[in-house]
Amino acid sequence: MTVKPFPKTAFKYLIYECILPCKWPFLICMILMFIETNIYNLLNWLIAQLVESLKSGVSIEALHKALWFVGIVAVCEAINIFLRKEAFLYRQKNLYFSVQDRIYGRALSYIFGHSVNYIINKQTGTLLAKTKQINSIQSTFSILLTRFWYWISDIVLKIFLLSFINIWLGVLFLVCSVLVAVVNYYANKASNRLNKMQSKAEALYTGWLVDVISNIRLVKQFNRINYEKKRLYTLLRQFIKIKVSTILVWFSSYTGVSCFIHLCSIMMLMFAVYLWSKSLINVGDIVFVLLTLNTGFMWLSELGINYRQFANNLAYIQAGLEPFYDAHEIEDLPDAKELKVKNAEIEFRNVGFSYSEQKKIFDGFNLRIKGGERVGIVGLSGNGKTTLINLLQRAYDIQSGEILIDGQNIKNVTQASLHQNMAIIPQETVLFHRTLKENIAYGINVSDKKIKQAAKVACADEFIKALPEGYNSIVGERGCKLSGGERQRIAIARAVLRNSPILILDEATSSLDSEAENIVAEAINNLLGNQTVIAIAHRLSTLRKMDRIIYLENGKVVEEGTFNQLAKKKNGKFAKLWKMQQLKERN
Ligand SMILES: Nc1ncnc2c1ncn2[C@@H]1O[C@H](COP(=O)(O)OP(=O)(O)OP(=O)(O)O)[C@@H](O)[C@H]1O
Ligand SMILES: [Mg+2]
């Protein structure tokens, strides 16, 4: 199933990916917030009325009135506390959780939908950092609802209540609020730009760090710890430098905005006193103005911090979105069918392919492999052997021609069904940091007995049994606790269990010494059944059992025939290579 890319801007992402899919919980949260602000302002109003009622002096009547007010204030406060708790729980459960759940799910599906080429071209760490960045959504939501929305409803209500006391008080408060918001916006513009730079610098540093840690063996072998440290420090320093500048710029703007807010408060208070002196408002009203200024402008002074956090989050999300709006390079067609394999006949028809414009790897390449045929591919390094099997797996799309399996163009079938029908033993066996059992079964639900049988076929049972934890041994990151030959045999056992109609071996024995090579070659022979086999090899001796061998040069088949035919061919390229290898082995 194709997954839609994410919108390109953080703001659209917020609207279309987060708010709209959860519009009802979002609306309910807004209403709950609105009720909260109402109660809060009602409390201020009641306190102001209480002060006003006390003004008339001590009497039984005034005392009764005051007690009534205190009682109502107490009840309102209790309701407020209860409501705040309920609103908080509702937000967490029905909004934040479901939004995060959705976003994580979408992000994972989208990342996995990218081609291998895309993923290997990005640093894993950078991808990880970016996935994390788009999930700054919870705090973004929290700011939107519990800050911006709360603040807007609060200000609107305060303007309404102040206007009720005296229209000019309301107008002045409105003007001050707008001015503070505008000043805030401009004061934060500079730090917003820095925020974006900061999140980019962080992703770069994290990407580099993960790359170095995952290649730590190489780093140590080449004694390059200081070299890597130096590069990491440079990136880290860049990141910290931007971070510090962001904080400094923000702090100066925050101080400026705070001064402006205080100025507005003093102005409003002076105006309230003036109205009182003209007997246009009473003492209770001045108390209300005081309380309003206190809470209202407190929000306004926090607006800067919240806006900064919000802008920071948006910048984070924006930087994190990149792999999520890059279109998938290889997609299933909308009407893609399942690949149906009967004979497993493979045909490359007029295939043209290049990684870049400068160099064509294949140009009009033709090769037909009959169902059940075993074909060995030979050729000097860099002549396109691995590329050929990558194309068969549709790791890249070809630029011209067709690749057919049992007459079905691999472009017209689903990638899942294509991969399902192939078992691959790659040159570099990759194992997960999991048990040997899990690595062999890899996602197939089979009994321990079957796993052992497969390991026996792959000549791996003996060495696995000798390990302290046997089949439950953890193999270390990328299988680092096993030897090259052992890793290969695990890969072969995996292929045995998979039992696919097409088997691909990419130089399965090239990195091994003769003894290990013999064991692996035996394992491969055990594996071979009646499936179609494509085997790439530098060690030609491993190809003796193949029905046909093709010699690839510059993306063209320059020789083909059985092992013996090619080995005997006068001035043949294969024969020359074979002679050289025999000589080397004898020496
Ligand atoms: N992902 C890639 N992007 C760009 N160029 C690539 C990529 N992979 C391979 N190439 C180039 O394509 C050419 C063919 O590479 P390929 O890996 O198919 O060779 P090969 O025959 O398998 O070599 P070897 O015997 O060394 O494994 C090489 O010149 C290589 O540099
Ligand atoms: Mg190769």
Side-chain angles (χ1 to χ4, degrees):
M1 205 184 75
T2 50
V3 187
K4 245 178 45 194
F6 283 28
K8 288 194 180 179
T9 65
F11 195 68
K12 279 190 183 164
Y13 164 80
L14 201 64
I15 303 283
Y16 293 109
E17 293 291 328
C18 309
I19 296 180
L20 285 183
C22 296
K23 52 183 175 302
W24 295 118
F26 194 81
L27 199 68
I28 292 174
C29 286
M30 283 176 81
I31 294 171
L32 287 174
M33 276 285 145
F34 186 69
I35 298 174
E36 241 182 74
T37 35
N38 269 287
I39 296 182
Y40 202 81
N41 281 292
L42 180 69
L43 275 171
N44 283 350
W45 181 266
L46 286 169
I47 292 168
Q49 296 313 308
L50 174 66
V51 173
E52 180 61 24
S53 74
L54 296 178
K55 200 182 70 180
S56 54
V58 184
S59 69
I60 291 287
E61 218 174 278
L63 195 65
H64 270 169
K65 218 172 163 184
L67 282 176
W68 263 108
F69 275 125
V70 172
I72 297 170
V73 167
V75 171
C76 285
E77 193 64 76
I79 294 174
N80 206 16
I81 292 171
F82 173 77
L83 201 75
R84 213 178 296 164
K85 179 188 134 237
E86 287 303 309
F88 175 81
L89 291 179
Y90 184 86
R91 271 201 306 278
Q92 295 295 329
K93 278 195 215 151
N94 297 298
L95 192 63
Y96 298 163
F97 176 79
S98 52
V99 168
Q100 290 223 332
D101 187 57
R102 195 173 170 279
I103 293 301
Y104 268 116
R106 283 263 286 130
L108 275 183
S109 311
Y110 203 74
I111 285 282
F112 287 146
H114 275 303
S115 69
V116 175
N117 193 37
Y118 179 93
I119 295 178
I120 58 178
N121 273 329
K122 302 263 162 194
Q123 280 178 318
T124 336
T126 311
L127 274 183
L128 287 181
K130 285 183 183 290
T131 316
K132 219 175 98 201
Q133 283 171 345
I134 60 156
N135 281 305
S136 331
I137 202 64
Q138 171 163 349
S139 60
T140 316
F141 254 41
S142 174
I143 297 169
L144 260 186
L145 273 172
T146 62
R147 300 287 182 266
F148 292 166
W149 170 243
Y150 189 92
W151 174 75
I152 289 171
S153 10
D154 190 55
I155 294 286
V156 170
L157 205 66
K158 282 184 163 73
I159 292 170
F160 176 75
L161 291 172
L162 286 171
S163 309
F164 190 67
I165 298 171
N166 183 289
I167 186 77
W168 292 112
L169 269 179
V171 171
L172 191 61
F173 190 73
L174 171 68
V175 172
C176 286
S177 303
V178 172
L179 281 178
V180 171
V182 171
V183 169
N184 238 312
Y185 174 77
Y186 282 105
N188 276 288
K189 240 183 160 179
S191 58
N192 194 14
R193 191 178 52 85
L194 284 167
N195 282 332
K196 279 187 191 152
M197 285 167 64
Q198 184 186 318
S199 49
K200 268 194 184 157
E202 191 184 2
L204 196 67
Y205 167 70
T206 320
W208 202 277
L209 183 64
V210 172
D211 199 28
V212 171
I213 290 176
S214 45
N215 288 310
I216 193 68
R217 194 188 285 259
L218 181 78
V219 176
K220 290 212 175 199
Q221 277 166 352
F222 278 75
N223 190 23
R224 280 290 179 271
I225 291 189
N226 285 337
Y227 167 79
E228 293 295 351
K229 261 201 224 151
K230 232 186 199 166
R231 298 193 80 157
L232 274 168
Y233 275 141
T234 314
L235 290 176
L236 186 65
R237 256 183 234 128
Q238 260 168 15
F239 167 52
I240 293 175
K241 223 165 124 185
I242 299 175
K243 198 170 174 167
V244 171
S245 319
T246 317
I247 293 172
L248 287 181
V249 167
W250 167 77
F251 191 73
S252 348
S253 57
Y254 175 66
T255 314
V257 174
S258 295
C259 289
F260 188 71
I261 286 174
H262 282 300
L263 203 73
C264 291
S265 302
I266 291 166
M267 235 166 58
M268 274 211 66
L269 205 58
M270 276 166 62
F271 185 63
V273 172
Y274 167 77
L275 290 176
W276 171 78
S277 70
K278 298 276 171 195
S279 302
L280 291 170
I281 61 173
N282 58 36
V283 175
D285 295 335
I286 292 197
V287 172
F288 185 72
V289 171
L290 262 176
L291 291 172
T292 300
L293 285 182
N294 187 23
T295 52
F297 282 164
M298 188 180 79
W299 288 130
L300 283 177
S301 67
E302 276 187 17
L303 178 70
I305 303 173
N306 294 321
Y307 180 78
R308 181 174 165 265
Q309 275 175 349
F310 187 73
N312 207 352
N313 282 353
L314 283 193
Y316 247 66
I317 292 170
Q318 184 75 56
L321 275 174
E322 183 209 332
F324 301 96
Y325 65 70
D326 280 350
H328 287 157
E329 310 73 10
I330 296 173
E331 297 238 50
D332 286 351
L333 290 178
D335 54 349
K337 296 192 175 59
E338 297 279 300
L339 174 71
K340 297 229 161 47
V341 180
K342 216 170 145 200
N343 303 319
E345 182 176 289
I346 299 168
E347 187 176 356
F348 292 83
R349 200 183 277 170
N350 271 327
V351 169
F353 175 74
S354 58
Y355 288 106
S356 61
E357 280 176 15
Q358 289 87 357
K359 189 181 161 194
K360 277 229 170 238
I361 307 288
F362 293 106
D363 194 7
F365 176 80
N366 287 298
L367 175 67
R368 192 156 169 235
I369 302 171
K370 284 183 276 172
E373 192 182 9
R374 297 172 188 177
V375 172
I377 301 182
V378 184
L380 299 181
S381 188
N383 272 291
K385 302 182 295 295
T386 302
T387 306
L388 194 69
I389 59 170
N390 280 341
L391 295 182
L392 183 61
Q393 296 169 69
R394 212 183 156 202
Y396 304 90
D397 269 335
I398 51 178
Q399 280 104 28
S400 58
E402 289 174 314
I403 301 174
L404 307 160
I405 296 177
D406 280 347
Q408 301 150 82
N409 190 333
I410 60 165
K411 227 173 170 171
N412 300 333
V413 300
T414 63
Q415 292 174 74
S417 68
L418 178 69
H419 298 148
Q420 188 62 37
N421 281 292
M422 290 179 193
I424 294 160
I425 302 175
Q427 188 168 10
E428 272 295 313
T429 305
V430 185
L431 300 180
F432 289 102
H433 187 54
R434 302 173 194 169
T435 63
L436 277 172
K437 206 157 77 178
E438 283 172 283
N439 267 296
I440 294 174
Y442 191 44
I444 307 176
N445 199 3
V446 282
S447 63
D448 286 3
K449 202 173 144 200
K450 286 229 159 111
I451 293 176
K452 274 189 192 162
Q453 272 170 1
K456 271 190 189 147
V457 174
C459 306
D461 184 53
E462 263 178 43
F463 90 79
I464 296 177
K465 277 198 302 206
L467 294 171
E469 310 243 4
Y471 280 82
N472 289 321
S473 314
I474 300 272
V475 299
E477 200 137 358
R478 290 162 174 260
C480 64
K481 290 186 188 167
L482 300 181
S483 75
E486 287 166 346
R487 278 204 294 269
Q488 292 282 29
R489 280 178 273 163
I490 299 297
I492 294 169
R494 208 185 260 167
V496 172
L497 271 187
R498 206 164 164 87
N499 193 22
S500 304
I502 297 169
L503 176 66
I504 297 169
L505 303 139
D506 189 0
E507 318 198 61
T509 57
S510 68
S511 58
L512 308 176
D513 59 43
S514 303
E515 204 179 318
E517 184 195 327
N518 288 340
I519 304 174
V520 173
E522 188 191 331
I524 290 173
N525 282 338
N526 293 344
L527 165 69
L528 297 178
N530 51 7
Q531 68 274 70
T532 306
V533 178
I534 300 179
I536 297 174
H538 277 278
R539 296 246 179 128
L540 305 182
S541 55
T542 54
L543 295 177
R544 280 183 180 281
K545 293 225 160 158
M546 297 294 123
D547 301 320
R548 181 163 52 125
I549 289 172
I550 65 164
Y551 192 102
L552 211 60
E553 194 173 78
N554 295 329
K556 295 242 175 328
V557 177
V558 289
E559 280 179 24
E560 83 182 287
T562 63
F563 190 95
N564 285 337
Q565 279 169 351
L566 292 190
K568 284 180 194 148
K569 195 174 172 189
K570 256 197 176 167
N571 298 325
K573 291 178 189 284
F574 180 88
K576 197 171 152 203
L577 216 60
W578 176 229
K579 263 184 210 132
M580 263 164 46
Q581 280 192 8
Q582 278 178 313
L583 262 176
K584 218 171 166 189
E585 267 164 35
R586 258 182 244 140
N587 294 335

